[in-house]
Amino acid sequence: KAGVTQTPRYLIKTRGQQVTLSCSPISGHRSVSWYQQTPGQGLQFLFEYFSETQRNKGNFPGRFSGRQFSNSRSEMNVSTLELGDSALYLCASSLGPLGRPGVYNEQFFGPGTRLTVL
Amino acid sequence: AQSVAQPEDQVNVAEGNPLTVKCTYSVSGNPYLFWYVQYPNRGLQFLLKYITGDNLVKGSYGFEAEFNKSQTSFHLKKPSALVSDSALYFCAVRARSGTYKYIFGTGTRLKVLA
């Protein structure tokens, strides 16, 4: 079974531009979560989508947005890029939603998209 | 607020020696606890988790972790380190109720010296 795939693997943008990152979950997985990884902050949760609905959102500005399609693939968009947005963006998929009481759904991570903002 | 602390940015250990990577957390209730490992240019790989039951959890590649409720800690251990264990290790927690978000530590870089 193929793992989580993310495209592109590397991106270089300039300040003020916008960017779209893509994530294809493991076949059959319906939940996709996005994380931002930076050296000083570790991994920070951006948002989670399940069945095309955003279920959870982290503390990021509105410039960060996402969506999920009917085939569970997800995209993340960052508008008006800032230097501080340079990071590794990780996508994780799970069979079901992360927030189901009494149920644990393991997350499987993709290799990430390395975004550099100049 | 929920938080996870990995107090050491880097841990150096000689090959063959035991290793410990520390993690403490502040989450209400009894959270789920996880360890992940990240190799260069790779995503996070799951190592082990604590859900319930025995406080000593065994995971992949010979790693284990001990859940200590009174100290709110979940330290990662391995009896004999390998050079190939050198990587970035993340501790994470997830509450059993509420937001269900995963909270990750800032990571500890493990360097195993030959």
Side-chain angles (χ1 to χ4, degrees), chain A residues 95-107:
Chain A
L95 199 59
L98 297 180
R100 184 161 285 169
V103 177
Y104 163 68
N105 286 301
E106 185 170 332
Q107 291 189 104

Side-chain angles (χ1 to χ4, degrees), chain A residues 56-113:
Chain A
N56 260 315
K57 192 176 190 306
N59 297 322
F60 279 82
R63 300 185 296 107
F64 292 81
S65 63
R67 58 178 176 168
Q68 186 179 36
F69 302 95
S70 57
N71 62 357
S72 295
R73 189 178 69 86
S74 177
E75 286 182 348
M76 191 192 93
N77 185 276
V78 188
S79 63
T80 320
L81 284 167
E82 301 176 359
L83 295 179
D85 297 333
S86 294
L88 181 67
Y89 290 88
L90 293 168
C91 162
S93 77
S94 61
L95 199 59
L98 297 180
R100 184 161 285 169
V103 177
Y104 163 68
N105 286 301
E106 185 170 332
Q107 291 189 104
F108 295 85
F109 284 82
T113 294

